[in-house]
Amino acid sequence: MSQHAQEPFDSGGRPPDAQSPPAGCRATDDLEYRHTPGTRLHLAAHQRRADATALGRLALHLPGFLLSLATVLTTALLLDVACGLPLWMLPTVWLVSGALFFHSPTEDLFARHVLQLRYPLPHERARLEPVWLEVAGRAGIDGHRYRIRVEECDDLNAFAVSGHIIGITGFALERLTTGQLAAVLAHELGHHTGGHTWAATLGHWYALPGRAVGGAARTLLLRTFRGARRTSYLLTLVIMITVTITVGGWATVFLFLPLCLLVLPYPMAALSRRAELRADLHAASLGFAPMLVEALELMEDGTVPSRAPASASLGGTPGRYPLLARLLMSHPDHATRLHHLRPYLPTPR
């Protein structure tokens, strides 16, 4: 067990007779198959992998990465001409910078100052540690690698971010039972071990330069269009082409990339929904299916506040929203998640 609040939680291993808990274990406030002190640890040889969902996300981020690479190379060329900065320096720093999301001190700074996550208070830590020990032990995961942080928020929510961070709201800690809390943590751990989190983090980071240039060019073109359309649409077209070539630089070689970026949100959302289902099944395979269903029902019945409609967060009725809105949802609807969890639930007697 960690002795300092700044250190990650410790993880135990599961005992030999608990390596494969039954899929339909009883949903109670107390966890079954508890780890006993002194039990030999059984950690998985591969602590993290990249499943099809993670690889799909990386593939969809490729256009944004290429646009960013063109932007960075253009900037490096301008800096080389203007102030003699070596041409290789900026692209190298940019490519290596993604590794910082897996550097523990940098992750802590990111979680604290960007995501506004704090260290658990003593009473929160006392509750989280044994639950996390059980979840990590069942999964065969070294819990030292992950850090659980708390968000000051009155919503019931949890999320996996960066390389090793799991965030949970203080409200969720107060409202969820022990079993439900374990199920939620197992779900978020599934995002980490499946590679969903690191793929999304790196994809978003390496797409930022391209997005910045694209946003600036879009704003400039809109302003140019509004100012010029009063005189001549032909003149407007000429100005738009000129500005695009000037601002885009090397990016004009990849003219198809902006078109790809227009449709990418839809397959990205589809992969996000698939990632949620995979994380659900990860929690269910560890024996937390009934508890996860309870947590989903708690969100669905509307008795607790959430930062987004149920259909956009933990489930909901698809018919409440237009088709395009449903296609952009990052989470599956409530009925779909229950359908996929049903095989892991105990058979009613």
Side-chain angles (χ1 to χ4, degrees):
M1 183 178 296
S2 299
Q3 299 297 321
H4 304 286
Q6 296 182 350
E7 297 177 353
F9 293 155
D10 287 344
S11 168
R14 47 190 173 181
D17 61 347
Q19 292 185 15
S20 299
C25 67
R26 182 167 49 91
T28 65
D29 191 41
D30 293 324
L31 296 175
E32 302 172 7
Y33 303 95
R34 283 197 177 280
H35 168 73
T36 55
T39 303
R40 184 178 179 180
L41 302 181
H42 293 268
L43 300 180
H46 300 285
Q47 299 278 302
R48 192 192 299 264
R49 65 186 188 279
D51 61 22
T53 303
L55 296 177
R57 284 190 172 186
L58 289 178
L60 290 179
H61 278 298
L62 184 59
F65 171 79
L66 292 176
L67 189 58
S68 293
L69 179 60
T71 300
V72 172
L73 291 176
T74 300
T75 305
L77 181 62
L78 293 176
L79 291 176
D80 182 36
V81 173
C83 54
L85 186 71
L87 185 62
W88 57 267
M89 183 173 293
L90 183 61
T92 302
V93 171
W94 175 67
L95 290 173
V96 173
S97 64
L100 293 176
F101 287 101
F102 302 91
H103 179 243
S104 294
T106 305
E107 279 189 311
D108 287 334
L109 289 174
F110 175 74
R112 185 175 183 83
H113 298 289
V114 177
L115 302 178
Q116 299 298 307
L117 303 179
R118 60 170 174 78
Y119 298 113
L121 298 175
H123 72 278
E124 295 170 333
R125 186 179 182 84
R127 181 162 188 236
L128 280 167
E129 281 189 350
V131 178
W132 178 243
L133 176 106
E134 174 66 17
V135 171
R138 290 195 190 191
I141 296 299
D142 181 6
H144 288 87
R145 299 188 177 192
Y146 299 94
R147 286 168 292 284
I148 302 181
R149 298 293 183 255
V150 179
E151 181 184 22
E152 287 290 355
C153 182
D154 292 332
D155 297 331
L156 200 159
N157 193 37
F159 44 89
V161 292
S162 191
H164 306 88
I165 300 294
I166 294 177
I168 189 167
T169 62
F171 181 83
L173 280 176
E174 296 176 359
R175 186 61 184 263
L176 295 177
T177 66
T178 302
Q180 293 166 0
L181 177 61
V184 169
L185 293 179
H187 171 94
E188 302 306 335
L189 179 60
H191 283 307
H192 278 301
T193 58
H196 310 155
T197 307
W198 67 261
T201 299
L202 292 182
H204 179 77
W205 174 252
Y206 285 123
L208 283 179
R211 289 183 179 181
V213 170
R218 183 169 56 251
T219 301
L220 183 59
L221 289 174
L222 287 175
R223 291 182 178 178
T224 302
F225 176 77
R226 290 169 183 169
R229 64 182 179 180
R230 299 174 182 175
T231 56
S232 170
Y233 283 104
L234 179 60
L235 177 61
T236 299
L237 181 61
V238 172
I239 294 177
M240 289 177 63
I241 293 175
T242 303
V243 171
T244 300
I245 295 176
T246 303
V247 174
W250 285 17
T252 56
V253 180
F254 306 100
L255 287 177
F256 73 97
L257 295 180
L259 299 178
C260 294
L261 297 178
L262 292 177
V263 299
L264 277 183
Y266 295 97
M268 281 287 189
L271 281 178
S272 178
R273 293 192 294 272
R274 172 57 59 179
E276 293 301 324
L277 293 177
R278 285 182 176 269
D280 283 350
L281 297 185
H282 177 268
S285 68
L286 300 181
F288 296 116
M291 298 84 151
L292 183 59
V293 169
E294 291 176 0
L296 292 174
E297 294 285 359
L298 194 62
M299 291 290 294
E300 174 65 12
D301 62 15
T303 58
V304 296
S306 60
R307 66 186 59 189
S311 295
S313 55
L314 287 179
T317 305
R320 298 176 186 172
Y321 298 92
L323 175 61
L324 290 181
R326 296 202 301 271
L327 292 177
L328 288 173
M329 285 181 177
S330 61
H331 286 59
D333 62 86
H334 181 66
T336 300
R337 298 182 77 166
L338 293 184
H339 171 75
H340 285 272
L341 288 171
R342 187 173 295 113
Y344 296 85
L345 299 175
T347 304
R349 295 181 180 178

